Each structure stands twice: as structure tokens, then as C-alpha cells.
């Protein structure tokens, strides 16, 4: 089955890593991309402006009950978890922090795994905690594709390492290879 | 995708809870509910959601625990201080013109939002003429709200938020610290009616001047959001105010035309005058 959605999780060093990766997704990229970055709970989402300037694809903050649109990059709002519903709409929640984080990568990945099953690609980037490890495992168990940034090249290796331990089936990749590989996978 | 067995079990459980106990979670946003049920299953050591269903139907002491899983909501006092600042600076001047006021905190959970508003109204000299209605479906949450006791380690955040909201008293004037807990003054809830009310199944509440219901609508599906926004419309006096969560919106609601944006960036709406 082909990939119909991409989810990405990043923490410490994540803005830098995403700045290298997301601009590599070209206009016409055929599936939605959802991103959780751990950032402090400020109301304004500076990430959206930052990446809107860098990316070829439209970038926006995810809104509650919004239907996913192919070729759009959605960022989780600060201080809210981002979830995917089975009907491929987005949902927000202000539940407890998970792994001390809100938004939490695990929440996005687990709900996206549920919604997309084997048609999901999930990527864990640099970070200094264990968030995303459970989520990546859920993606792999649902038959989806797991990717982990090579810890050797990550600004902070803890998160990719934890993800690799939790989900040995995930592929470890250099940051610069991720966008081309996704594109090849989705178009091929 | 095909409906998984887990999804079928969740639907059956929600149906069972509704049919036996009349708590209606059937139109709650499903992804959140599912995560919470899976947490409950794990914590209780059950192998399947169906086992929760069986337990809750045959043992009514399970229901309150299940409600705690399904309705847990996390808040803090003066959460999003800029919201409270906007209430203080832009809404209060309108409220001052009424001889008596009714304020509804819908889905009050453990009461953080209620006490924030009560303190704000006291600071603005409106407390004497205001009746607060604090409602929730979870009896345990209502009891906690009524008690007004919070762990002392949360007070630092509450105090910081209160200052940022433009508070002109010290938060410490409003509670007594006692061991590791802060007990908020009885005076803050003297004019509060705590009541069991379901936004899903119960009717409008009558002539409010302000409804604050933040980060509740996100837990509902589109259809239920519509019902609740309609209910708020019916419950507000003309010219009354509605505050919702900073990432919520009335934009997509079929009842959006009842309201106008009042403080756009803080998600404060006003019931149209006609």
C-alpha cells in the first residue's frame, strides 16, 4: 500500500533539523505532513511563520476538526496535543502532558497510526527525551513505515536512540536523505 | 480502513454507558476517547475494552472511575493570562452596566477557571452582584471544584498567570496555605451554584451575561459542537459574552451567525443584539 500521510516528531535541535528537511518536500508533494515540535506553551506559533518562509509547501497551524489536505504541512499548536481522527480530520486536546510535553509526539503518532494504518510514514528527529518512541512502535505495528534520524548526525541523540530501541524495524537515515526517500516512496 | 475490533468495542461501551447511566460520550471526539479508554484498560489490567464494558455495567462503583478517565481535564488558574486580561479590560466595562450578573463556567472540571473568574470579579468590584454557575457532568470534579483545594506546587504558576492577567491583588490574599495544599477562600464561592449539567443532553440555562467554556468543545465532534454552540446562544442574554479556548472557533458552527467576534485574538464572542 502506498503512503497517504507523513508524521514527524522533533524536540531539541528540531527546528534546525526541520529547516534542512521540510524545504526538501517539493510543490505537488501528494500527501499531508503533520509535525509535532516540542516548544514552550506560548500562544503564538512562531514556527508556522518561520517554516512558511522556507518551505515550498503551504504551512499552517493545525485547527480542530480540520480535514487533511494533501501537500499541506500542519504544525501542532503550542500547548495542545494534535490528534488524527479516523475520518482523516485533525483534532486538538489539552489533556495532560505526556513525557512532560504538550504537544506530545506519541499522541500524534498513535492516533495517526490508527487512522492510516499501513499507509503512514513516521519520522523521529533529534531530541533530548523519549517522546515518540511508543508512537513510532505503534506506527510500525500498524504496518506503517518508521524512519529515525541517524543518532550520529542528530544534534541530540536521545530521542532517535529511544525510538530505535522501541521500534527496531524503523530505518535509520541521514537527515538529508529523508525528503528524497519519502518522495520516492510516495510516488513509486 | 476497516473498523477495528477495538473501535467496535469502544462504540459498544459508549452505547452501554449511555443506555444504562445516561452519560453520553457517543459524540465525543473519538481519538481522545480511545486514548483514554486504552489508558484505563491498561491501568485496570483488563485485556480488552469489552471487559471494561462488562465491569461498568455490572458494578456501578466502576462508573465514577470511568468518568474520571473520560472527562479528566487539565486546567490552571488564569490559563492564557491574555484571555483574562481581555475580559478585565474589554468585557468588564460592559458588565459594569448591569445591576446583576450571571456567569456560567461550563465544564468547570476542578474549578480553576471558576476561581480565576471569581477573583477577577472581586478585583473589579463585581462579585457582590454576580451569581456564578459552575457545571460539569463529573460529580467528583464538581466536588473538587466546590472544595477549591489545589496542590501548593501549582500555586507558583497560578500566581504568575494571575499577575500577567492584570490582577491587582496578590493571589495569596485569596487562599490559605496549609501543609502542601492551598485552600481558596470560601468567599470566592459563596455566590456560586455548583450543578450537574451535561452540555450533551441538558437544556439551556437561561440569561447569562458571560459564558466561559474553554477547551471543552475540542473534545466534541462537529455535530455535538454545533449543539453546544446553539445551547450557548440560547443561554446568553442579547449582548452577552462567550469565551472559548484559544484554538477553538465558532467559524464552522451552524450557529455562528448568532455571535459576533468581540476580542478576536482571545476568542471572545458576543451574542448579537438582534
Amino acid at each position: 500500500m502506498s503512503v497517504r500521510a507523513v508524521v514527524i516528531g522533533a524536540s531539541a535541535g528540531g527546528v534546525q533539523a526541520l529547516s534542512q528537511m521540510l524545504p526538501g518536500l517539493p510543490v505537488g508533494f501528494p500527501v499531508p505532513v503533520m509535525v509535532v515540535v516540542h516548544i514552550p506553551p506560548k500562544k503564538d506559533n512562531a514556527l508556522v511563520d518561520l517554516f512558511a518562509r522556507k518551505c515550498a509547501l503551504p504551512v499552517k497551524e493545525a485547527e480542530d476538526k480540520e480535514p487533511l489536505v494533501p501537500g499541506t504541512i500542519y504544525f501542532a499548536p503550542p500547548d495542545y496535543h494534535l490528534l488524527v481522527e479516523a475520518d482523516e480530520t485533525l483534532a486538538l486536546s489539552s489533556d495532560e502532558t505526556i513525557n512532560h510535553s504538550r504537544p506530545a509526539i506519541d499522541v500524534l503518532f498513535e492516533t495517526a497510526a490508527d487512522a492510516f494504518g499501513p499507509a503512514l510514514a513516521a519520522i523521529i528527529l533529534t531530541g533530548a527525551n523519549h517522546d515518540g518512541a511508543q508512537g513510532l512502535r505503534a506506527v510500525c505495528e500498524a504496518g506503517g513505515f518508521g524512519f529515525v534520524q541517524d543518532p550520529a548526525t542528530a544534534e541530540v541523540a536521545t530521542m532517535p536512540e529511544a525510538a530505535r530501541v522501541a521500534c527496531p524495524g524503523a530505518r535509520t537515515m541521514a537527515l538529508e536523505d529523508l525528503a528524497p526517500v519519502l518522495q520516492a516512496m510516495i510516488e513509486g | 480502513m476497516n473498523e477495528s475490533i477495538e473501535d467496535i468495542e469502544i462504540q459498544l461501551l459508549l452505547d452501554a454507558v449511555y443506555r444504562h447511566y445516561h452519560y453520553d460520550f457517543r459524540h465525543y471526539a473519538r481519538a481522545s476517547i480511545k486514548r483514554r479508554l486504552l489508558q484505563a484498560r491498561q491501568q485496570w489490567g483488563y485485556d480488552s475494552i469489552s471487559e471494561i464494558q462488562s465491569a461498568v455495567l455490572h458494578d456501578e462503583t466502576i462508573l465514577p472511575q470511568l468518568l474520571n478517565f473520560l472527562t479528566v481535564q487539565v486546567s490552571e488558574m488564569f490559563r492564557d493570562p491574555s484571555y483574562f486580561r481581555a475580559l478585565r479590560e474589554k468585557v468588564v466595562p460592559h458588565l459594569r452596566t448591569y445591576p446583576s450578573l450571571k456567569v456560567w463556567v461550563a465544564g468547570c472540571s476542578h474549578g480553576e477557571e471558576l476561581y480565576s473568574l471569581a477573583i477577577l470579579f472581586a478585583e473589579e468590584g463585581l462579585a457582590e452582584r454576580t451569581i456564578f454557575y459552575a457545571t460539569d457532568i463529573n460529580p467528583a470534579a464538581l466536588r473538587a471544584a466546590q472544595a477549591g483545594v489545589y496542590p501548593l506546587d501549582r500555586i507558583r504558576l497560578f500566581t504568575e498567570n494571575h499577575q500577567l492577567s492584570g490582577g491587582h491583588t496578590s493571589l495569596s490574599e485569596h487562599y490559605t496555605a496549609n501543609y502542601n495544599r492551598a485552600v481558596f477562600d470560601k468567599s470566592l464561592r459563596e455566590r456560586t451554584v455548583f450543578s450537574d449539567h451535561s452540555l450533551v443532553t441538558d437544556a439551556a440555562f437561561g440569561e447569562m451575561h458571560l459564558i466561559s467554556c474553554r477547551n471543552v468543545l475540542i473534545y466534541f465532534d462537529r455535530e455535538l459542537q454545533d449543539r453546544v454552540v446553539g445551547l450557548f446562544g440560547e443561554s446568553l442574554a442579547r449582548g452577552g459574552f462567550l469565551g472559548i479556548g484559544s484554538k477553538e472557533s465558532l467559524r464552522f458552527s451552524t450557529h455562528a451567525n448568532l455571535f459576533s467576534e468581540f476580542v478576536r485574538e482571545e476568542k471572545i464572542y458576543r451574542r448579537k443584539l438582534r
Side-chain angles (χ1 to χ4, degrees):
Chain A
M1 179 181 306
S2 61
V3 167
R4 291 195 296 117
V6 176
V7 289
I8 304 174
S11 190
V15 174
Q16 182 71 26
L18 287 165
S19 299
Q20 272 184 267
M21 193 210 142
L22 289 177
L25 300 175
V27 174
F29 189 73
V31 306
V33 179
M34 292 155 270
V35 187
V36 165
V37 187
H38 294 154
I39 38 168
K42 290 273 164 46
K43 201 161 51 180
D44 301 324
N45 199 343
L47 289 177
V48 168
D49 289 340
L50 177 72
F51 284 99
R53 284 198 301 272
K54 295 181 187 223
C55 291
L57 296 176
V59 177
K60 73 185 296 288
E61 184 174 88
E63 290 182 76
D64 186 48
K65 306 292 176 283
E66 173 175 31
L68 285 167
V69 172
T72 305
I73 300 174
Y74 300 90
F75 276 85
D79 211 23
Y80 286 82
H81 294 302
L82 175 61
L83 303 85
V84 188
E85 293 285 353
D87 65 359
E88 300 179 16
T89 58
L90 294 170
L92 302 179
S93 107
S94 77
D95 280 7
E96 298 86 343
T97 57
I98 308 232
N99 311 312
H100 308 288
S101 306
R102 186 172 55 217
I105 301 165
D106 279 344
V107 175
L108 173 64
F109 280 24
E110 286 171 16
T111 56
D114 238 30
F116 289 103
L120 181 69
I123 303 168
I124 294 289
L125 300 175
T126 167
N129 54 54
H130 290 72
D131 192 21
Q134 297 293 333
L136 193 69
R137 180 157 66 195
V139 171
C140 293
E141 281 172 0
F145 301 87
F147 296 94
V148 173
Q149 180 182 4
D150 183 352
T153 71
E155 194 171 314
V156 187
T158 317
M159 201 161 88
E161 275 166 359
R164 277 213 301 198
V165 171
C167 183
R171 285 169 68 186
T172 300
M173 302 201 55
L175 189 56
E176 58 268 28
D177 293 336
L178 280 166
V181 164
L182 278 181
Q183 208 190 333
M185 220 168 88
I186 289 166
E187 285 173 358
Chain B
M1 276 181 63
N2 260 343
E3 198 178 20
S4 72
I5 288 174
E6 229 158 44
D7 293 328
I8 296 170
E9 288 178 292
I10 289 169
Q11 188 62 46
L12 292 172
L13 169 62
L14 299 183
D15 284 344
V17 168
Y18 176 64
R19 286 168 62 180
H20 191 59
Y21 295 106
H22 307 290
Y23 281 102
D24 192 355
F25 292 99
R26 295 172 302 168
H27 288 281
Y28 275 48
R30 193 51 63 89
S32 280
I33 283 281
K34 183 168 183 175
R35 273 190 64 86
R36 287 160 178 222
L37 286 175
L38 293 176
Q39 268 170 20
R41 187 194 71 186
Q42 191 183 14
Q43 196 162 320
W44 292 338
Y46 291 133
D47 291 326
S48 69
I49 303 282
S50 299
E51 287 182 23
I52 301 180
Q53 181 193 313
S54 175
V56 76
L57 282 177
H58 295 290
D59 176 356
E60 53 185 48
T61 65
I62 303 285
L63 181 74
Q65 302 172 50
L66 183 65
L67 289 183
N68 285 342
F69 269 107
L70 293 180
T71 63
V72 168
Q73 261 154 56
V74 198
S75 191
E76 57 198 53
M77 284 179 75
F78 296 96
R79 180 176 184 182
D80 302 325
S82 55
Y83 169 79
F84 289 92
R85 185 177 278 276
L87 286 182
R88 196 186 292 276
E89 291 172 356
K90 301 195 168 126
V91 175
V92 161
H94 291 273
L95 297 182
R96 279 191 203 293
T97 63
Y98 294 93
S100 70
L101 292 167
K102 289 182 178 176
V103 175
W104 180 13
V105 183
C108 69
S109 191
H110 293 180
E112 289 92 336
E113 181 110 347
L114 169 72
Y115 287 99
S116 309
L117 288 169
I119 290 167
L120 189 154
F121 274 55
E123 287 174 334
E124 300 301 329
L126 295 174
E128 299 293 303
R129 62 175 110 158
T130 305
I131 297 179
F132 288 97
Y133 297 87
T135 65
D136 205 279
I137 56 167
N138 184 342
L142 275 175
R143 280 196 300 275
Q146 203 151 8
V149 177
Y150 302 98
L152 211 49
D153 59 15
R154 301 188 68 198
I155 292 293
R156 196 151 93 155
L157 172 67
F158 293 179
T159 303
E160 217 174 275
N161 285 349
H162 174 239
Q163 288 304 311
L164 290 170
S165 81
H168 39 73
T169 56
S170 157
L171 193 67
S172 61
E173 291 171 35
H174 302 284
Y175 66 83
T176 316
N178 143 354
Y179 300 101
N180 50 355
R181 307 178 316 161
V183 184
F184 277 80
D185 284 351
K186 235 179 1 201
S187 65
L188 293 171
R189 56 181 173 272
E190 253 162 15
R191 300 175 61 79
T192 301
V193 179
F194 293 89
S195 164
D196 166 27
H197 180 279
S198 164
L199 294 169
V200 185
T201 50
D202 293 342
F205 221 72
E207 296 291 277
M208 297 293 148
H209 300 90
L210 168 64
I211 298 175
S212 200
C213 181
R214 297 165 71 225
N215 296 318
V216 175
L217 292 174
I218 43 177
Y219 292 100
F220 298 163
D221 70 14
R222 187 47 72 70
E223 189 183 329
L224 180 53
Q225 284 185 355
D226 263 346
R227 173 191 145 81
V228 174
V229 172
L231 193 68
F232 290 158
E234 284 173 50
S235 301
L236 274 176
R238 288 181 191 277
F241 299 89
L242 168 65
I244 58 177
S246 71
K247 299 301 172 189
E248 296 174 320
S249 167
L250 299 187
R251 206 156 25 114
F252 306 112
S253 168
T254 51
H255 304 289
N257 60 347
L258 291 175
F259 301 90
S260 54
E261 285 180 339
F262 185 69
V263 184
R264 184 184 192 162
E265 58 280 16
E266 299 303 335
K267 302 298 167 72
I268 299 172
Y269 294 82
R270 192 168 193 195
R271 172 89 159 88
K272 284 181 185 163
L273 290 164
R274 59 171 94 216

